Amino acid sequence: MNAKQLLKDAEQRMMTEYHKDLAHASAQELHNAISGAAMDALAPVWVKKEEARSSRRQAAYLSMEFLVGRLVYNNLYCMGLLDEVKSLLKEKGVDITLLEDVEDDAFGNGGLGRLAACFLDSAVTCNVPLTGYGLRFRYGLFKQEFVDGRQVELPDDWSRFGDPWSVRRLDEAVVVSMKTGDVLAVPYDMPVVGFGAKNVGTLRLWQTESLNEIDFAVFNSQDYAKAAAAKNQAEDITKFLYPNDTKKEGKQLRVKQQYVLVSATMQDILRAYRKRHGSDYSFFSREVAAQLNDTHPTMAIPELIRLLGEDGVSFEDAFLIARDTFAYTNHTVMQEALEKWDLSLLSSVCPQIVSIIKKIDARFRREMKKAGKEITPSLCIILDGRVHMAELATYATHAINGVAALHSEILKNDVFADWYQLYPERFQNKTNGITQRRWLGLCNPELSKLITDQIGPGFETDLDKLKELVPKINKSLCGKFRTVKKTKKKQLCAEIQAKEGVLLDPDMVFDVQVKRLHEYKRQFMNALSILAIYDQLKRGQLKDLPPVAFIFGAKAAPGYDRAKAVIHWINLIADKVNNDPKTKDRLMVVFIRNYNCSWAEKIIPAADISEQISPAGTEASGTGNMKLMLNGAVTLGTFDGANVEIVEEAGRENNYIFGATVEELEKIKNSYDPVKIYNKNALLRRALDTLTDGTFPDDDGMFAELHDAILKGASWHKPDHYYVMKDFADYYETKLQAIRDAKADETGFARKCLMNVACAGKFSSDRTIRQYAKEIWKV
Ligand SMILES: *Cc1c(COP(=O)(O)O)cnc(C)c1O
């Protein structure tokens, strides 16, 4: 398939479906026509792939989230057709950027979902037989608006104009039985396009619907209300993506979502297996590997045991098969984020699973008793009537991995220390990665060209090749890099002006923090540093500081009041700073609305400084840090997550590291006194006190709460839980240094940026996926 053919097909589709030619197409029509034509072009490869699937050992990636973003550009890019389609469209008077109006496919909240999408991309390009399994949410992650600086959530009805990238496969639907009623899970398959389109993989997303019998009953039954309720319960399950980080709410719905995902997926996998081997399950764990992306799909383990039991396999045999099949990836060390489900809650949805979890728990107790070992509370699978999903996943899988070297060490030494004692051979590390196809080739063609001009083609499938840049970094290359960066900054300025109405100067230093809003990510500390800079500028200090723009992008979970208050606060800061004639040429702040993949693709290539400022030991890995590194930003960060490895690869001298280490924080944790620091540091005190001194109106009391959270704590946490006061001074000085360096010696700074690009090879998700394939899945 070439671009000409594809456009011809698209034109025909425009005619038959919309009775228009391409030049008169709306964004949605153009999207449907081009995507549909691309799907046709991919079909022959996709079909062949499906056939090959059945004869090889397979891996399945089970994830509640897949943040795939906008598919049309990426898929055309991977098919090698994007540039040509662009110019052919132009000849016909159509600007491809019309497609900017097409919504992202946002079946995820942030890093965890984006990781799953990067993994599928890498697997298909690296020829690893991996299928993604998730849920097809009717509404993706909410769309974020600001009203008076406050976050407002709007529904993301992403498929209302159609969904040209999915194929509905009703013939492969399965029934999922729950205590609340049976539902039909219908798979929608999306192609995952490998680079060069030599290979096409599958993301299978389940959508719940009511069974025909129930629909029929709505019209026929005497009990209309009951039938209608059953219909609603079925359709509600995959209606909304569950926003993480919230306190409570919708727990039963969340359990139903998890159960539908795992039951439908295991039925699907078993159906394919039985076609080959009937009821002989002795090959099962040799032919199937299944990865649990965090604990959300952990019920897949008891579900597989249950399904095998239905076909006559004993509990013990089924347990061993399941253990050899599953592996578990941990993504968080934060206690409040480790899932624990009440037995009564699980019983209200899937009592059949509860009885198997109890059997697994009993098996563990027997094993421990036999070995003469004690079951400490941290080893309990069931404790106080609750199932600890991480303990279940650790006991009933053969491999557990963290997502960065530091994180995996913390798992062994702290969070799962007792488990590590029992099963040291299960613990592994798989440092996260990102796909360089989307996060360099697609989003930064200017830098890609510069790289290819220097070292030849090939980084798209071999990111280690970037190392060849190192000996070529000289003054001339630094100059070219700065030209590229300036181009990307200008493009971003235009976008921000169009979407946000804020005009930034591309000659400013761009300091970027884009990621979910959470206290541990410390956007709050960034805001404090901006207020301190503003304070100093107003007092005639910092005369040597070059003009700087701070760019934020973040959504807060709808129920997370403090995170929302931070957004509100930063927006008020932006308003104040940007409108102050005294400072506005030297300091700008913008919080873009509705941060998502498509925004990330525009912001990241334009960044000079990448803020990765979580307290050491809290961010498991981070992947935003890798995307920014790959696009030539220096990291302003703590020794946390994958920052440690970024600095290891690119050199400490090429990044800006500050703050307490894990060991230092461990030492002071019982004697930490943030008030003491606050009293001593007048600049910090003034910045923090803007929350309560009337600088910003606190009409809902939330700013006072943010202030209290630092100095007083609350019943559920101690003061300054995330060590903002502790790290502030070092952060502030290091940040000023980074901003000064960016302009004081532009060639020197470009050299640092280029060293980051050249050393980013390790962070390709191709490397990560090959490690999973070799060391866990054995595919
Ligand atoms: C990469 C990415 C993330 C993860 O960012 P972190 O800085 O690692 O938290 C979140 N959201 C989007 C849209 C991303 O592309």
Side-chain angles (χ1 to χ4, degrees):
M1 163 68 71
N2 61 40
K4 275 212 180 86
Q5 267 173 293
L6 187 125
L7 267 203
K8 214 170 138 194
D9 185 6
E11 255 175 328
Q12 242 154 37
R13 285 167 171 268
M14 277 302 298
M15 274 301 164
T16 45
E17 283 176 40
Y18 304 112
H19 306 266
K20 283 187 186 176
D21 58 19
L22 282 175
H24 295 90
S26 71
Q28 311 302 337
E29 290 162 352
L30 184 67
H31 180 240
N32 286 340
I34 291 185
S35 306
M39 282 288 265
D40 280 357
L42 291 169
V45 190
W46 202 8
V47 169
K48 269 220 305 275
K49 178 78 197 311
E50 291 287 316
E51 282 166 358
R53 266 177 69 171
S54 54
S55 55
R56 286 165 76 184
R57 178 169 163 84
Q58 292 294 312
Y61 199 79
L62 275 66
S63 178
M64 281 292 279
E65 304 185 16
F66 286 91
L67 194 56
V68 294
R70 199 180 278 144
L71 290 171
V72 60
Y73 295 135
N74 183 72
N75 289 355
L76 290 175
Y77 168 80
C78 286
M79 293 165 81
L81 301 177
L82 182 58
D83 286 339
E84 227 184 313
V85 166
K86 223 184 260 181
S87 56
L88 287 172
L89 278 172
K90 206 164 167 192
E91 281 170 22
K92 294 181 189 292
V94 183
D95 183 353
I96 197 166
T97 58
L98 191 60
L99 297 177
E100 291 289 319
D101 282 350
V102 173
E103 313 272 359
D104 278 25
D105 289 2
F107 316 123
N109 286 289
L112 174 138
R114 185 53 234 175
L115 182 76
C118 280
F119 279 0
L120 296 184
D121 179 283
S122 282
V124 67
T125 294
C126 299
N127 247 311
V128 170
L130 180 71
T131 300
Y133 283 99
L135 295 178
R136 185 173 188 268
F137 297 103
R138 162 95 157 77
Y139 295 95
L141 182 59
F142 65 86
K143 282 209 266 192
Q144 180 193 51
E145 272 295 334
F146 294 148
V147 174
D148 299 330
R150 287 192 169 86
Q151 171 176 299
V152 174
E153 300 94 25
L154 300 172
D156 168 38
D157 192 0
W158 62 277
S159 64
R160 68 194 183 285
F161 295 109
D163 171 19
W165 292 105
S166 293
V167 179
R168 176 179 167 91
R169 299 206 192 275
L170 189 60
D171 55 320
E172 297 190 31
V174 298
V175 175
V176 175
S177 294
M178 287 174 287
K179 198 170 176 189
T180 48
D182 293 357
V183 301
L184 192 68
V186 182
Y188 281 69
D189 287 352
M190 293 180 134
V192 183
V193 185
F195 192 69
K198 292 189 211 74
N199 203 354
V200 178
T202 302
L203 169 56
R204 173 159 280 196
L205 299 175
W206 300 101
Q207 169 174 299
T208 54
E209 298 173 11
S210 58
L211 296 158
N212 285 345
E213 298 76 34
I214 292 170
D215 274 355
F216 193 62
V218 170
F219 296 99
N220 272 336
S221 137
Q222 309 289 359
D223 202 347
Y224 181 92
K226 194 172 164 199
K231 184 172 166 62
N232 285 338
Q233 94 103 13
E235 287 169 5
D236 280 351
I237 295 174
T238 52
K239 202 167 237 174
F240 292 100
L241 169 75
Y242 185 88
N244 67 6
D245 299 329
T246 41
K247 303 275 144 60
K248 22 185 160 327
E249 283 157 332
K251 277 195 173 147
Q252 195 193 45
L253 187 58
R254 175 72 169 180
V255 171
K256 285 185 195 170
Q257 290 183 336
Q258 293 187 348
Y259 187 62
V260 165
L261 167 62
V262 305
S263 180
T265 301
M266 295 328 291
Q267 290 186 58
D268 195 48
I269 290 173
L270 273 171
R271 177 174 51 198
Y273 177 86
R274 283 176 186 141
K275 269 193 206 153
R276 304 194 292 276
H277 301 289
S279 291
D280 176 0
Y281 294 102
S282 53
F283 302 95
F284 191 84
S285 62
R286 261 181 279 169
E287 293 191 5
V288 181
Q291 192 69 32
L292 307 173
N293 193 24
D294 213 320
T295 54
H296 319 141
T298 300
M299 282 192 282
I301 301 167
E303 178 66 3
L304 175 62
I305 295 173
R306 182 186 77 81
L307 290 166
L308 291 174
E310 281 186 346
D311 205 21
V313 182
S314 73
F315 168 79
E316 182 60 19
D317 287 349
F319 175 85
L320 294 174
I321 290 171
R323 197 182 61 192
D324 289 343
T325 300
F326 288 102
Y328 155 54
T329 304
N330 172 281
H331 286 275
T332 180
V333 299
M334 265 173 281
Q335 279 306 320
E336 63 271 27
L338 290 167
E339 286 187 303
K340 298 173 185 84
W341 293 122
D342 284 336
L343 280 168
S344 56
L345 176 66
L346 293 180
S347 296
S348 73
V349 176
C350 43
Q352 64 278 30
I353 290 303
V354 170
S355 69
I356 290 171
I357 292 174
K358 285 181 174 164
K359 277 190 191 169
I360 295 173
D361 179 60
R363 187 186 188 279
F364 176 55
R365 289 174 183 285
R366 277 199 309 278
E367 198 180 305
M368 293 292 281
K369 197 168 172 190
K370 219 164 125 191
K373 289 181 181 152
E374 186 204 350
I375 298 181
T376 59
S378 65
L379 287 174
C380 285
I381 294 170
I382 299 174
L383 187 63
D384 299 333
R386 294 201 299 174
V387 185
H388 292 206
M389 303 310 275
E391 328 305 320
L392 176 61
T394 307
Y395 175 60
T397 63
H398 65 279
I400 156 172
N401 72 283
V403 289
L406 176 71
H407 170 59
S408 295
E409 285 306 306
I410 294 173
L411 293 185
K412 290 194 287 192
N413 301 329
D414 184 357
V415 185
F416 297 122
D418 289 347
W419 286 105
Y420 180 57
Q421 290 294 314
L422 288 177
Y423 309 111
E425 71 286 355
R426 287 185 194 176
F427 284 75
Q428 301 194 19
N429 172 248
K430 297 286 168 280
T431 299
N432 280 168
I434 54 167
T435 165
Q436 68 266 34
R437 268 84 58 192
R438 185 181 286 263
W439 298 112
L440 177 58
L442 178 65
C443 75
N444 202 341
E446 295 85 354
L447 182 57
S448 302
K449 179 171 184 315
L450 179 63
I451 292 168
T452 307
D453 286 347
Q454 295 295 317
I455 61 173
F459 77 81
E460 293 89 346
T461 50
D462 175 15
L463 202 62
D464 287 324
K465 196 175 160 58
L466 293 180
K467 261 273 141 67
E468 295 170 23
L469 278 172
V470 174
K472 307 205 175 224
I473 302 177
N474 56 21
K475 193 149 186 224
S476 147
L477 185 58
C478 287
K480 288 176 184 157
F481 173 79
R482 282 172 46 212
T483 306
V484 166
K485 192 57 94 178
K486 183 80 173 277
T487 303
K488 300 313 283 181
K489 287 165 90 165
K490 280 186 187 158
Q491 291 169 1
L492 179 62
C493 288
E495 187 74 16
I496 288 179
Q497 188 178 17
K499 293 253 173 72
E500 304 301 322
V502 179
L503 184 58
L504 297 180
D505 176 354
D507 284 322
M508 289 177 138
V509 177
F510 280 15
D511 176 309
V512 164
Q513 188 173 21
V514 286
K515 47 183 78 247
R516 292 277 303 185
L517 213 132
H518 200 286
E519 284 166 286
Y520 88 82
K521 292 180 183 276
R522 298 202 293 198
Q523 283 95 347
F524 184 85
M525 188 168 79
N526 192 349
L528 282 176
S529 77
I530 294 168
L531 283 166
I533 290 172
Y534 180 59
D535 173 293
Q536 293 294 287
L537 289 175
K538 295 282 275 186
R539 287 165 192 259
Q541 305 292 311
L542 297 180
K543 288 206 167 30
D544 63 333
L545 194 75
V548 54
F550 292 96
I551 300 167
F552 290 89
K555 291 178 185 176
Y560 191 175
D561 291 338
R562 279 190 190 166
K564 290 173 121 173
V566 172
I567 293 178
H568 183 204
W569 189 41
I570 294 174
N571 274 323
L572 295 184
I573 294 170
D575 208 38
K576 189 172 187 68
V577 168
N578 297 352
N579 291 304
D580 189 331
K582 267 210 179 120
T583 59
K584 77 174 179 17
D585 295 334
R586 303 196 47 201
L587 174 63
M588 292 284 281
V589 181
V590 54
F591 204 128
I592 60 98
R593 289 166 298 167
N594 201 42
Y595 178 61
N596 58 11
C597 272
S598 289
W599 262 118
E601 289 164 31
K602 297 185 174 76
I603 295 171
I604 287 170
D608 297 306
I609 298 173
S610 155
E611 299 248 8
Q612 307 299 337
I613 58 178
S614 50
T618 57
E619 185 77 86
S621 165
T623 51
N625 47 3
M626 302 169 185
K627 299 169 196 162
L628 282 147
M629 176 199 201
L630 181 59
N631 282 274
V634 298
T635 297
L636 168 60
T638 48
F639 261 127
D640 196 20
N643 299 352
V644 177
E645 290 159 79
I646 286 175
V647 170
E648 211 170 271
E649 295 294 307
R652 185 156 183 167
E653 68 283 7
N654 295 317
N655 289 289
Y656 293 85
I657 300 301
F658 69 90
T661 61
V662 172
E663 294 77 23
E664 283 162 358
L665 291 180
E666 182 62 31
K667 257 189 228 141
I668 63 160
K669 78 174 179 202
N670 294 320
S671 59
Y672 179 51
D673 182 5
V675 178
K676 215 157 115 188
I677 302 172
Y678 165 85
N679 285 331
K680 270 200 190 147
N681 185 339
L683 183 60
L684 171 58
R685 191 167 62 243
R686 285 200 299 277
L688 187 68
D689 287 351
T690 62
L691 284 165
T692 49
D693 66 7
T695 306
F696 303 111
D698 186 21
D699 37 27
D700 56 7
M702 278 311 295
F703 292 163
E705 154 129 6
L706 291 179
H707 196 267
D708 283 349
I710 298 289
L711 298 177
K712 297 187 183 151
S715 56
W716 77 94
H717 71 85
K718 55 191 197 316
D720 195 11
H721 195 52
Y722 296 112
Y723 300 100
V724 174
M725 298 292 110
K726 166 82 184 154
D727 277 348
F728 182 80
D730 196 4
Y731 171 56
Y732 182 65
E733 287 307 322
T734 311
K735 171 177 236 168
L736 292 180
Q737 190 62 50
I739 298 167
R740 285 185 183 118
D741 286 358
K743 289 288 171 178
D745 172 9
E746 292 187 280
T747 302
F749 193 77
R751 168 180 289 278
K752 288 179 202 270
C753 295
L754 276 166
M755 277 301 288
N756 276 283
V757 177
C759 299
K762 176 177 180 184
F763 304 105
S764 168
S765 44
D766 296 355
R767 185 268 311 150
T768 316
I769 216 71
R770 287 194 179 106
Q771 286 183 322
Y772 276 96
K774 182 158 179 257
E775 295 159 20
I776 298 181
W777 305 331
K778 315 273 186 332
V779 293

